[in-house]
Amino acid sequence: MREEIKLTKRLGKGDEGDEVSLLQKLLATDPEIYPEGKVTGFYGALTEKAVKRFQEKTGLESVGRVGPKTRE
């Protein structure tokens, strides 16, 4: 059985904490999206670029912030 991982907050540049670390871990599972793979707990430029790549890859508007559609 696969554990379901859920992000619950809106996240954007400058945010920090456990949810940002979780987001970074999820992004790092795809080296095309987050080649740096850094899990720092801080939502900086690298995380923002990775989120934009994820959004482009999944057909979402590439805004670089994590809202309801990106969390889904």
Side-chain angles (χ1 to χ4, degrees):
M1 191 169 129
R2 202 172 131 238
E3 183 185 345
E4 189 168 315
I5 300 170
K6 277 213 179 251
L7 296 170
T8 59
K9 299 177 183 171
R10 288 180 181 264
L11 298 170
K13 206 166 179 185
D15 287 339
E16 49 190 315
D18 292 342
E19 287 234 358
V20 176
S21 294
L22 178 57
L23 170 66
Q24 291 168 330
K25 287 177 189 171
L26 292 169
L27 293 168
T29 63
D30 186 339
E32 273 185 30
I33 288 176
Y34 193 30
E36 300 82 7
K38 292 186 178 186
V39 179
T40 62
F42 180 75
Y43 198 123
L46 293 177
T47 305
E48 183 180 49
K49 283 181 189 170
V51 168
K52 284 182 178 181
R53 286 188 204 109
F54 171 80
Q55 289 167 330
E56 285 171 15
K57 189 173 184 174
T58 57
L60 296 170
E61 185 181 356
S62 178
V63 294
R65 292 182 311 277
V66 177
K69 289 180 184 174
T70 302
R71 285 197 311 264
E72 211 174 278

